[in-house]
Amino acid sequence: IDGANVNLGGWVIDKLTFRDAAGNKFCSLERRMLAASTCYDLYSADGKVLVAKIEREWLSATPKYKFYYEGDFNPFADFTAEGSFLDRTYTFKAGFGATIARVRRSSEIFNDVDSYLVEVAAGVDTAAILAVAVVIDEDHDEKQG
């Protein structure tokens, strides 16, 4: 993941690029400047097509992160992440409640480099799960930093 922060008059916008093992870009994330809570847009490899939206629920006793595919005309989240975000241990659940992925932080191999174990069920969009996990990490690093 390549990242950059763009500072526009005190407003910092995250722009993150995802690459495969060969170095090919397969998607990118951009943080929305104006949003009630944490909100990122997920774009195609060429950056021209908005694929999905990731947002943190902001009026909730226990926060959830929600993932919405664009263009599917579904007003409900396609999947959500919930759990202990500060401990970096959480699960992803499909709209009907089935667990589709799990994430947990593993021990640091290098100083200041976060490592995670990610389990994704067969047939689930792995790139989407990884994108949400990165948003959660970015969001909680900001709160702690």
Side-chain angles (χ1 to χ4, degrees), residues 7-9 15 17 51 73-74 94 125 129 131:
N7 191 330
L8 299 173
K15 291 186 174 241
T17 302
V51 176
F73 304 108
N74 178 5
D125 185 347
I129 297 294

Short mmCIF file of all heavy atoms in Angstrom, two decimals, residues 7-9 15 17 51 73-74 94 125 129 131:
data_model
loop_
_atom_site.label_atom_id
_atom_site.label_comp_id
_atom_site.label_asym_id
_atom_site.label_seq_id
_atom_site.Cartn_x
_atom_site.Cartn_y
_atom_site.Cartn_z
N ASN A 7 -2.35 17.99 2.10
CA ASN A 7 -2.78 19.01 3.04
C ASN A 7 -3.32 20.20 2.26
O ASN A 7 -2.61 20.86 1.53
CB ASN A 7 -1.60 19.44 3.92
CG ASN A 7 -2.04 20.30 5.08
OD1 ASN A 7 -3.02 21.03 4.98
ND2 ASN A 7 -1.31 20.21 6.17
N LEU A 8 -4.61 20.46 2.44
CA LEU A 8 -5.26 21.57 1.76
C LEU A 8 -5.73 22.57 2.82
O LEU A 8 -6.84 22.46 3.34
CB LEU A 8 -6.46 21.09 0.94
CG LEU A 8 -6.16 20.09 -0.17
CD1 LEU A 8 -7.45 19.56 -0.77
CD2 LEU A 8 -5.30 20.73 -1.23
N GLY A 9 -4.89 23.51 3.15
CA GLY A 9 -5.25 24.54 4.13
C GLY A 9 -5.64 23.99 5.48
O GLY A 9 -6.59 24.44 6.09
N LYS A 15 -4.80 9.53 0.62
CA LYS A 15 -4.92 8.87 -0.67
C LYS A 15 -4.03 7.64 -0.59
O LYS A 15 -2.82 7.77 -0.40
CB LYS A 15 -4.47 9.78 -1.81
CG LYS A 15 -5.42 10.95 -2.03
CD LYS A 15 -5.00 11.74 -3.26
CE LYS A 15 -6.03 12.80 -3.54
NZ LYS A 15 -6.65 12.62 -4.83
N THR A 17 -2.98 3.81 -2.31
CA THR A 17 -2.99 2.98 -3.50
C THR A 17 -2.64 1.54 -3.12
O THR A 17 -1.65 1.32 -2.42
CB THR A 17 -1.95 3.49 -4.52
OG1 THR A 17 -2.27 4.85 -4.84
CG2 THR A 17 -1.96 2.66 -5.78
N VAL A 51 -16.07 2.51 -6.98
CA VAL A 51 -16.52 1.13 -6.81
C VAL A 51 -17.39 0.97 -5.56
O VAL A 51 -18.38 0.26 -5.57
CB VAL A 51 -15.31 0.17 -6.74
CG1 VAL A 51 -15.74 -1.25 -6.46
CG2 VAL A 51 -14.48 0.26 -8.01
N PHE A 73 -27.98 -0.33 -5.90
CA PHE A 73 -29.29 0.18 -5.49
C PHE A 73 -29.79 -0.44 -4.18
O PHE A 73 -30.98 -0.59 -3.96
CB PHE A 73 -30.33 0.00 -6.60
CG PHE A 73 -29.92 0.64 -7.88
CD1 PHE A 73 -29.53 -0.13 -8.97
CD2 PHE A 73 -29.89 2.02 -8.00
CE1 PHE A 73 -29.12 0.47 -10.15
CE2 PHE A 73 -29.49 2.64 -9.18
CZ PHE A 73 -29.11 1.85 -10.25
N ASN A 74 -28.84 -0.82 -3.32
CA ASN A 74 -29.17 -1.38 -2.01
C ASN A 74 -28.89 -0.31 -0.96
O ASN A 74 -27.74 0.09 -0.80
CB ASN A 74 -28.31 -2.62 -1.77
CG ASN A 74 -28.55 -3.25 -0.41
OD1 ASN A 74 -29.43 -2.83 0.34
ND2 ASN A 74 -27.77 -4.26 -0.10
N ALA A 94 -21.82 -10.26 6.71
CA ALA A 94 -22.62 -9.92 5.54
C ALA A 94 -23.94 -9.33 6.01
O ALA A 94 -24.29 -9.43 7.19
CB ALA A 94 -22.85 -11.17 4.70
N ASP A 125 -15.10 -10.82 -1.56
CA ASP A 125 -14.21 -9.85 -2.20
C ASP A 125 -13.07 -9.48 -1.24
O ASP A 125 -13.22 -8.65 -0.36
CB ASP A 125 -15.01 -8.62 -2.59
CG ASP A 125 -14.21 -7.59 -3.37
OD1 ASP A 125 -12.97 -7.69 -3.43
OD2 ASP A 125 -14.85 -6.66 -3.91
N ILE A 129 -12.43 -6.37 1.73
CA ILE A 129 -12.13 -6.62 3.14
C ILE A 129 -10.84 -5.90 3.54
O ILE A 129 -10.78 -5.24 4.58
CB ILE A 129 -12.02 -8.14 3.43
CG1 ILE A 129 -13.34 -8.85 3.15
CG2 ILE A 129 -11.51 -8.40 4.84
CD1 ILE A 129 -14.50 -8.48 4.05
N ALA A 131 -9.48 -3.30 2.13
CA ALA A 131 -9.70 -1.86 2.10
C ALA A 131 -10.34 -1.37 3.41
O ALA A 131 -9.91 -0.37 3.98
CB ALA A 131 -10.58 -1.47 0.90
#
